[in-house]
Amino acid sequence: TQLLEQSPQFLSIQEGENLTVYCNSSSVFSSLQWYRQEPGEGPVLLVTVVTGGEVKKLKRLTFQFGDARKDSSLHITAAQPGDTGLYLCAGSSNSGYALNFGKGTSLLVTP
Amino acid sequence: EAGVVQSPRYKIIEKKQPVAFWCNPISGHNTLYWYRQNLGQGPELLIRYENEEAVDDSQLPKDRFSAERLKGVDSTLKIQPAELGDSAVYLCASSTVWRVSDTEAFFGQGTRLTVV
């Protein structure tokens, strides 16, 4: 199983602040996905990155895949209370059969 | 269009008792996954189906866990007998192609199991 380390584990910030969460591994992934999970719900896909060095933007969220395809980051600009949730990164191997999830970053944005 | 439906949402059982979870994937999704998520952790894959065939069950504790996907649609995950350490949220997900990295995996709300 390819391990994904996410940091920080917990993050509590105020509305309007910026933040970055990280997803790191010693393994190379063919692709990496970011999900957000709210309490009592299943994870919901935010983005998939495939190419090393790729940057994708989703409104105030910016996702980057490392050049070596071993790591990724998620940057949120001007966080809002609606951004609160558990952010999970998930990587798939060259076979692409299944997703291996990190432990997640629990984000709390207070008004 | 309905999403992935799981039942029950919550289940409390005594240890050594059996328990079963049911999942109805999104119509047309041939790939189905069962994940287990412990508190404060990311989901861990238990088993993956392509249609009715279990193609990856390497992480499924086969001494007490079993799963089936009859007719390649609905799926059932069973634990018998349950242990205290089985307390977790059991998530079902489905996708349209076998390479999950090429598409989106849709998750159900999960079944929260508490073993006492």
Side-chain angles (χ1 to χ4, degrees):
Chain A
T1 302
Q2 298 163 300
L3 296 178
L4 284 162
E5 300 288 338
Q6 290 191 243
S7 62
Q9 188 175 358
F10 301 100
L11 191 55
S12 180
I13 62 172
Q14 290 191 321
E15 183 175 5
E17 293 184 20
N18 301 331
L19 68 116
T20 302
V21 298
Y22 301 92
C23 175
N24 297 292
S25 175
S26 58
S27 302
V28 175
F29 291 96
S30 61
S31 66
L32 196 141
Q33 296 184 328
W34 283 92
Y35 287 78
R36 183 171 70 200
Q37 185 177 23
E38 298 185 9
E41 303 293 329
V44 176
L45 180 68
L46 295 173
V47 76
T48 300
V49 286
V50 178
T51 305
E54 183 177 5
V55 176
K56 283 190 173 180
K57 292 189 176 182
L58 182 64
K59 297 183 180 178
R60 295 176 293 100
L61 279 61
T62 301
F63 304 85
Q64 185 165 6
F65 201 14
D67 292 340
R69 291 185 288 130
K70 292 182 178 181
D71 55 85
S72 181
S73 64
L74 159 60
H75 181 79
I76 302 179
T77 303
Q80 299 178 0
D83 296 327
T84 293
L86 178 67
Y87 288 82
L88 295 159
C89 67
S92 58
S93 64
N94 289 333
S95 64
Y97 288 138
L99 292 173
N100 297 307
F101 282 86
K103 292 185 177 182
T105 292
S106 182
L107 173 65
L108 174 64
V109 183
T110 55
Chain B
E1 179 182 344
V4 177
V5 179
Q6 292 188 245
S7 67
R9 286 295 310 276
Y10 305 94
K11 189 72 176 179
I12 301 175
I13 62 171
E14 294 183 342
K15 62 182 181 182
K16 300 185 181 180
Q17 295 301 306
V19 64
F21 315 123
W22 176 79
C23 172
N24 180 232
I26 293 175
S27 177
H29 283 197
N30 59 317
T31 305
L32 184 145
Y33 312 81
W34 281 103
Y35 284 87
R36 176 171 60 189
Q37 186 174 26
N38 294 310
L39 187 63
Q41 306 288 317
E44 298 174 332
L45 180 68
L46 292 174
I47 190 168
R48 176 175 68 92
Y49 282 93
E50 294 299 333
N51 299 306
E52 67 276 7
E53 182 181 2
V55 295
D56 183 358
D57 62 356
S58 58
Q59 302 300 314
L60 188 72
K62 298 181 183 62
D63 57 336
R64 297 183 301 107
F65 286 66
S66 64
E68 61 181 8
R69 191 184 183 195
L70 299 177
K71 300 181 181 179
V73 182
D74 295 1
S75 178
T76 303
L77 178 68
K78 298 179 181 179
I79 308 176
Q80 181 171 8
E83 298 179 351
L84 295 177
D86 296 330
S87 294
V89 174
Y90 290 83
L91 292 164
C92 178
S94 69
S95 63
T96 56
V97 297
W98 60 269
R99 278 181 63 92
V100 69
S101 55
D102 293 337
T103 187
E104 178 175 357
F106 292 84
F107 284 81
Q109 291 182 302
T111 295
R112 180 177 295 277
L113 173 68
T114 302
V115 182
V116 298

